[in-house]
Amino acid sequence: MKPLRVLLVEDSEDDVELILRELRRGGFAPEFKRVETYEDMDDALSRQSWDLIISDYSMPHFDGLRALQLTRSKGADIPFIIVSGSIGEDTAVAAMKAGAHDYLLKGNIARLLPAIERELREVRVRQGRQQADETIQRLAYTDPITGLPNRTRFRELVQEAIAEGQREQRPVAMLLMDLDHFKDVNDTLGHDYGDSLLQQVSLRLRSALFSPDVIARLGGDEFGILLPKIAAADDVKFVVRKLHQCLEVPFMIGGIPIVVETSIGVATMPEHADNADTLILRADIAMYHAKQLASDYAVYTPESNPHSHERLGLMAELRNAIEQNQLLLQFQPKLELKTGRIIGCEALVRWQHPRLGLVPPDKFILAAEHTGLIGPLTRWVLVESLTRCQSTQSNGNALRVSVNLSARSLHDPQLTKMIADALDATGANPNQLMLEVTESAIVLDPKRASDNLMELSRMGTLLSIDDFGTGYTSLASIKHLPVNEIKIDKSFVTNMLVDNKDAMIVRTVIDLGHNFGLTVVAEGVETKEVLDVLSALGCDEAQGFFISKPQSCEQLQNWLSTSPYKIGSAG
Ligand code: G
Ligand code: G
Ligand code: MN
């Protein structure tokens, strides 16, 4: 027998018997209560939860429609079935519109059991779906390591606080804080200890703040703090002092005391911004300023960001630029030294701005990362570069294309899907796509980056470490990642013939790379002499102005057919 808690809204004892007999026949063990007035029903609904409500349509002191409204007003999702001696089509329709799940005539009581089975099933589906929705919401809005709101949620909370501050004519302050030398903890002690440090830091920060204040983890070692109820913008300095103080006592990580220092950037509404994106961007700029000054904190000033106006204007336009096809790609060929073949190219994005002309990526990539536009931008670059490289066919083989990924993209949980979709949409083979990431992007959030990179490697795309040598990581610390190639940063390559130290770095990276079984690429090759020395050192590939500047796809095709180099796709 299946237990079933039924609330019967019914004036007739006989009808109750009829219904109960039917339920028992269907294998239910009904635990029931009969009510026939509004007050009794209200009371019954408040006292306990019910699996099912069966209600008469018209009764001397009550009726089915009001019973239905009362149920709805309690917000409970309980199957509600009307069983009536007589019901006209119009009233039945009214009842269904008011939210009854089914109605039937007492003379037709055999229909009751199938109706109940169906409604109980559907309520389970509804509840399951709601739980799933809630879980998805929770996952989409919280940082898994600290349990704090993530960037997406933080942005919404900032928006809400700004709207409220504007209504009530109060300032809103926002702080961006980033932990200095967090990378070292991760690198020397491992990611688990890094995670543990983030958790402990978030607990201390939380307990130093008042309850309306919001603290969020925005990614890597970056925390956002929102002060929605600050009395005066100037009071922020007390909060900053409190935050610094709460971090003064060293953290114990794996038995080692770790001192955490931070840089904090401050921006306030209305003084510095009147919308969430600008406020966050300006706090971010202030934070970088604090770092440059090696100071505890800095409040945003237009001087700390001479280009802010131009940059913010650009951001507003970038949104449209992607849609209006103002972005374009230039391709720079990669030469295989052993064979003298061009075996691939690197896609480099530019923005053909209607007023400013060709805008280079350093002018807009970073800001795109801070304003959530990096996703759409990266998607565009992926699809466009894969489409274009299909047309650089030689003997039926398309050239491999390298695409740069920014730090934010690398830590985006949607990255692998975005890449799979781009491969699907263009019909490209995964091994035609090489992804370039910098070491500094990986160490920002090594665990997340490594999850994404492992998944991508399983899909069959290739991975290159860009600007190698400029970060602090050793090859050993990335050996667990599915890396295929490293690119020696152009700052070492360009001057290797005049600077001994640079020459030594280049030689060492080539040897180390080979020890780890990696392809080594030198970028920034500007002269024939450098190219020859690289060949002699056993470097695998070269890229740079001496071979070719970045050029449009059409130019590249012409160039390929006239250049002294052979063409070939990489093995
Ligand atoms: O092409 P060069 O102009 O100036 O590129 C400057 C920087 O911009 C390089 O460090 C390169 O990695 C980066 N870059 C170029 N194209 C892209 C792109 O499509 N996405 C990202 N994230 N970075 C890019
Ligand atoms: O960060 P990444 O290394 O991916 O960016 C490549 C950048 O290097 C692009 O801006 C590209 O225009 C530039 N570049 C390519 N070849 C040379 C070169 O030979 N010399 C210099 N100085 N820059 C180069
Ligand atoms: Mn690159």
Side-chain angles (χ1 to χ4, degrees):
M1 298 285 256
K2 296 165 274 184
L4 186 72
R5 294 163 303 177
V6 201
L7 183 59
L8 294 157
V9 189
E10 179 59 78
D11 59 315
S12 148
E13 301 269 5
D14 289 349
D15 290 348
V16 165
E17 267 316 304
L18 179 76
I19 291 167
L20 290 177
R21 204 178 322 129
E22 194 60 18
L23 289 175
R24 291 192 185 104
R25 197 174 67 80
F28 290 106
E31 173 204 322
F32 76 99
K33 180 166 175 61
R34 181 176 75 86
V35 294
E36 56 180 316
T37 65
Y38 184 93
E39 292 70 28
D40 284 354
M41 181 171 183
D42 194 6
D43 186 58
L45 285 173
S46 310
R47 252 173 224 284
Q48 69 164 89
S49 52
W50 299 95
D51 301 318
L52 174 68
I53 298 172
I54 298 179
S55 173
D56 198 353
Y57 193 72
S58 61
M59 292 156 279
H61 307 291
F62 199 20
D63 66 78
L65 278 186
R66 281 172 64 217
L68 191 52
Q69 281 157 4
L70 177 58
T71 311
R72 291 281 162 275
S73 75
K74 298 275 180 193
D77 183 15
I78 310 172
F80 193 106
I81 297 178
I82 292 181
V83 177
S84 165
S86 65
I87 188 167
E89 280 303 324
D90 50 341
T91 37
V93 170
M96 299 298 276
K97 274 192 184 150
H101 292 101
D102 205 352
Y103 79 91
L104 46 109
L105 293 171
K106 281 175 186 160
N108 230 345
I109 198 74
R111 273 193 51 218
L112 182 63
L113 286 172
I116 290 176
E117 297 281 5
R118 186 186 63 238
E119 292 312 325
L120 291 178
R121 205 163 47 235
E122 288 199 349
V123 80
R124 275 196 301 272
V125 171
R126 280 199 297 277
Q127 283 165 356
R129 201 175 293 146
Q130 192 185 346
Q131 263 173 14
D133 283 352
E134 281 163 11
T135 311
I136 289 168
Q137 282 276 324
R138 195 158 37 75
L139 290 178
Y141 277 145
T142 43
D143 163 52
I145 291 174
T146 59
L148 295 174
N150 63 11
R151 178 175 286 271
T152 309
R153 180 68 186 136
F154 187 64
R155 185 168 171 269
E156 285 181 6
L157 291 166
V158 173
Q159 272 165 347
E160 286 164 20
I162 288 178
E164 195 180 315
Q166 285 169 338
R167 266 198 313 277
E168 297 173 7
Q169 310 235 309
R170 259 190 295 106
V172 169
M174 99 141 265
L175 281 57
L176 247 154
M177 159 187 268
D178 129 339
L179 313 183
D180 301 337
H181 315 299
F182 174 70
K183 232 171 49 187
D184 299 343
V185 174
N186 253 333
D187 288 352
T188 51
L189 297 177
H191 306 159
D192 290 345
Y193 288 114
D195 290 357
S196 158
L197 180 61
L198 289 172
Q199 285 155 359
Q200 292 188 36
V201 167
S202 68
L203 286 176
R204 278 211 210 159
L205 294 175
R206 178 69 269 173
S207 61
L209 293 164
F210 292 135
S211 65
D213 302 341
V214 173
I215 163 163
R217 178 165 175 246
L218 306 186
D221 54 2
E222 199 176 282
F223 292 90
I225 291 152
L226 170 69
L227 310 174
K229 300 225 148 61
I230 194 130
D234 206 35
D235 291 351
V236 174
K237 61 175 181 282
F238 301 117
V239 180
V240 169
R241 191 182 309 151
K242 229 170 33 171
L243 292 173
H244 279 303
Q245 275 168 357
C246 86
L247 299 176
E248 271 170 11
V249 178
F251 290 85
M252 290 305 286
I253 302 293
I256 302 170
I258 304 274
V259 179
V260 168
E261 289 174 358
T262 66
S263 317
I264 296 180
V266 179
T268 56
M269 188 289 299
E271 202 184 340
H272 304 129
D274 61 2
N275 66 71
D277 288 338
T278 312
L279 193 65
I280 296 173
L281 185 62
R282 294 197 157 173
D284 206 55
I285 290 164
M287 187 184 77
Y288 278 108
H289 198 54
K291 270 194 195 300
Q292 281 165 2
L293 301 174
S295 143
D296 283 358
Y297 84 107
V299 178
Y300 174 81
T301 59
E303 298 82 67
S304 59
N305 178 26
H307 303 298
S308 67
H309 215 77
E310 179 193 346
R311 178 117 62 89
L312 286 175
L314 275 182
M315 280 311 93
E317 290 174 303
L318 182 58
R319 228 171 264 275
N320 296 328
I322 301 174
E323 286 155 20
Q324 292 172 2
N325 245 342
Q326 291 174 8
L327 296 185
L328 57 88
L329 290 181
Q330 289 189 339
F331 297 87
Q332 187 176 36
K334 284 169 80 189
L335 174 69
E336 188 176 57
L337 294 174
K338 209 167 51 220
T339 60
R341 287 185 312 167
I342 298 299
I343 51 160
C345 55
E346 176 174 3
L348 296 155
V349 72
R350 277 99 184 77
W351 177 4
Q352 184 64 59
H353 190 280
R355 205 175 57 253
L356 302 173
L358 209 58
V359 183
D362 357 316
K363 284 264 186 335
F364 59 91
I365 293 283
L366 191 68
E369 290 193 53
H370 289 305
T371 50
L373 286 174
I374 193 69
L377 185 145
T378 306
R379 186 174 307 122
W380 182 87
V381 170
L382 282 164
V383 171
E384 179 76 3
S385 57
L386 287 171
T387 309
R388 291 295 186 149
C389 83
Q390 304 292 62
S391 65
T392 57
Q393 302 269 343
S394 72
N395 311 329
N397 288 318
L399 280 187
R400 174 175 290 157
V401 68
S402 296
V403 167
N404 293 282
L405 288 184
S406 72
R408 282 273 145 75
S409 300
L410 189 60
H411 303 119
D412 181 353
Q414 297 295 318
L415 176 71
T416 52
K417 182 170 184 321
M418 187 193 288
I419 290 174
D421 289 348
L423 289 168
D424 261 1
T426 55
N429 193 320
N431 75 13
Q432 266 172 269
L433 177 62
M434 167 109 43
L435 300 163
E436 289 193 9
V437 304
T438 60
E439 331 163 49
S440 50
I442 294 176
V443 296
L444 216 55
D445 189 348
K447 187 161 166 3
R448 184 107 52 93
S450 126
D451 288 350
N452 265 339
L453 295 175
M454 290 307 223
E455 180 67 32
L456 285 165
S457 156
R458 275 193 288 276
M459 268 163 52
T461 61
L462 304 169
L463 177 62
S464 169
I465 306 294
D466 204 359
D467 303 343
F468 192 85
T470 55
Y472 298 97
T473 20
S474 62
L475 269 179
S477 74
I478 52 171
K479 73 165 186 280
H480 63 284
L481 292 174
V483 179
N484 304 88
E485 165 190 289
I486 47 176
K487 292 182 96 166
I488 312 175
D489 191 67
K490 54 179 172 289
S491 61
F492 307 115
V493 176
T494 310
N495 295 321
M496 64 182 284
L497 296 187
V498 287
D499 185 322
N500 272 333
K501 222 170 125 234
D502 286 352
M504 214 166 74
I505 291 173
V506 170
R507 204 178 317 133
T508 313
V509 174
I510 292 173
D511 289 346
L512 267 176
H514 286 164
N515 276 342
F516 282 97
L518 304 173
T519 302
V520 181
V521 182
E523 57 175 24
V525 176
E526 297 184 355
T527 61
K528 175 156 190 338
E529 290 70 32
V530 169
L531 192 70
D532 289 343
V533 172
L534 288 167
S535 280
L537 290 174
C539 186
D540 303 290
E541 295 174 24
Q543 186 183 335
F545 294 167
F546 175 69
I547 301 154
S548 162
K549 291 209 164 173
Q551 45 189 336
S552 75
C553 185
E554 292 76 15
Q555 288 168 333
L556 178 70
Q557 277 172 299
N558 278 332
W559 180 86
L560 283 172
S561 57
T562 54
S563 81
Y565 304 107
K566 290 176 282 183
I567 314 167
S569 56

